Amino acid sequence: MVAALPGSPEAPLLLREDRDGVASLTLNRGAARNALSLALMETLQGALDAIGADPGVRVVVLKGAGPAFCAGHDLKEMRSDRDHEAIDAIFKACSRTMIAIIRLPQPVIAQVHGVATAAGCQLVATCDLAVASADARFATPGVDIGLFCSTPMVALSRAVPRKAALEMLLLGEPIGAAEAQRIGLVNRVVPGDELEAATFALARAIAEKPRRVVALGKAAFARQGELGLEEAYAYAAGVMARNMMMEEATEGIDAFLQKRAPRWPA
């Protein structure tokens, strides 16, 4: 079932579909190449908050309607108001949305077709995993219009090697899906007609893992990356000790030793 999430009745900004533990969120501004208006970002933020509190959702897929995944910020909206506070509010809303994706208990997979540029590329870099169609293109072209992609830089520099990130940021030139996979911006590249099925198959494979353990692991992955080496090991050791006390670990280890499939708690 596809549900329209708040927006205008004629054109809901975001669609949600739940199937087999996977919540698919579709940016629904196809005519604007899913440009991130303030209203769309606030709607997406609300959907993420609801999903984070929903134990029935194991994985989230983020995709775009129409010819593109996401073309970045809505420049017409930004250009219509030169007030510094209004512009600042837009970028702060975007940052909150990106952080919400990272902090979400469930893994988030970007399903990318067409273009993912500027803040759209930031979305891809922020998501935990990404599957792209073979003809997808990625770019941070702000430098070409006098607006350096400084906020996309935060996500991009954490997803790909330093020099690859800087080349994208300084040149603004698009890269193809194969190159995006080579530098680590996306995990898998598939033919366009296989994109939906391939993304859902990946999501379902993750959804079958123990929910609380996946949430614990995702949070730990993000946190250890913010620490120095010794602090990261101390933190990770504590996480593993707590994990070992969970019923999922007891069940999983018993199943392994007994050579049977584990029966994970809900």
Side-chain angles (χ1 to χ4, degrees), residues 35 43 113 141 150 169 177 201 250 257:
T43 303
H113 74 289
S150 298
L169 292 160
T250 300
L257 294 175

Side-chain angles (χ1 to χ4, degrees), residues 51-65:
I51 285 170
D54 186 348
V57 177
R58 303 297 187 96
V59 182
V60 178
V61 171
L62 183 61
K63 54 188 174 179

Side-chain angles (χ1 to χ4, degrees), residues 73-93:
H73 283 292
D74 188 330
L75 295 179
K76 289 182 180 179
E77 178 183 70
M78 292 172 61
R79 194 67 180 84
S80 68
D81 193 340
R82 297 289 290 175
D83 179 74
H84 179 270
E85 289 187 4
I87 297 298
D88 190 53
I90 290 173
F91 288 117
K92 285 180 176 176

Side-chain angles (χ1 to χ4, degrees), residues 39 190 193 196 257:
V190 299
D193 60 357
E196 185 89 24
L257 294 175

Side-chain angles (χ1 to χ4, degrees), residues 38-261:
L38 181 58
L40 175 54
M41 288 187 289
E42 290 176 342
T43 303
L44 177 57
Q45 177 78 59
L48 293 171
D49 290 344
I51 285 170
D54 186 348
V57 177
R58 303 297 187 96
V59 182
V60 178
V61 171
L62 183 61
K63 54 188 174 179
F69 173 73
C70 178
H73 283 292
D74 188 330
L75 295 179
K76 289 182 180 179
E77 178 183 70
M78 292 172 61
R79 194 67 180 84
S80 68
D81 193 340
R82 297 289 290 175
D83 179 74
H84 179 270
E85 289 187 4
I87 297 298
D88 190 53
I90 290 173
F91 288 117
K92 285 180 176 176
C94 184
S95 297
R96 284 195 300 272
T97 300
M98 301 299 164
I99 292 171
I101 290 171
I102 294 168
R103 301 288 185 242
L104 198 72
Q106 299 92 337
V108 182
I109 305 173
Q111 178 181 306
V112 189
H113 74 289
V115 298
T117 55
C121 189
Q122 181 182 3
L123 263 181
V124 177
T126 300
C127 288
D128 300 296
L129 301 174
V131 181
S133 65
D135 61 352
R137 296 292 181 268
F138 305 81
T140 48
V143 68
D144 292 331
I145 61 169
L147 184 65
F148 198 83
C149 285
S150 298
T151 45
M153 172 181 68
V154 175
L156 188 64
S157 65
R158 284 160 169 75
V160 307
R162 178 179 181 274
K163 286 183 171 59
L166 272 171
E167 183 172 349
M168 290 184 67
L169 292 160
L170 292 172
L171 292 180
E173 296 175 351
I175 63 171
E179 176 65 6
Q181 183 181 33
R182 188 189 70 82
I183 65 175
L185 182 57
V186 304
N187 299 86
R188 302 180 182 184
V189 176
V190 299
D193 60 357
E194 298 177 14
L195 179 60
E196 185 89 24
T199 307
F200 189 75
L202 177 61
R204 279 295 302 136
I206 297 170
E208 292 173 356
K209 309 301 180 186
R211 176 180 61 85
R212 293 198 307 162
V213 174
V214 168
L216 179 110
K218 175 178 172 176
F221 184 86
R223 179 62 182 142
Q224 63 82 27
E226 300 168 354
L227 302 172
L229 181 64
E230 292 185 3
E231 293 84 359
Y233 268 113
Y235 166 75
V239 171
M240 287 208 76
R242 292 196 302 275
N243 193 168
M244 190 66 183
M245 298 298 104
M246 293 168 60
E247 63 178 306
E248 288 88 346
T250 300
E251 167 60 16
I253 292 170
D254 285 351
F256 176 79
L257 294 175
Q258 297 165 17
K259 296 181 172 56
R260 60 173 176 82

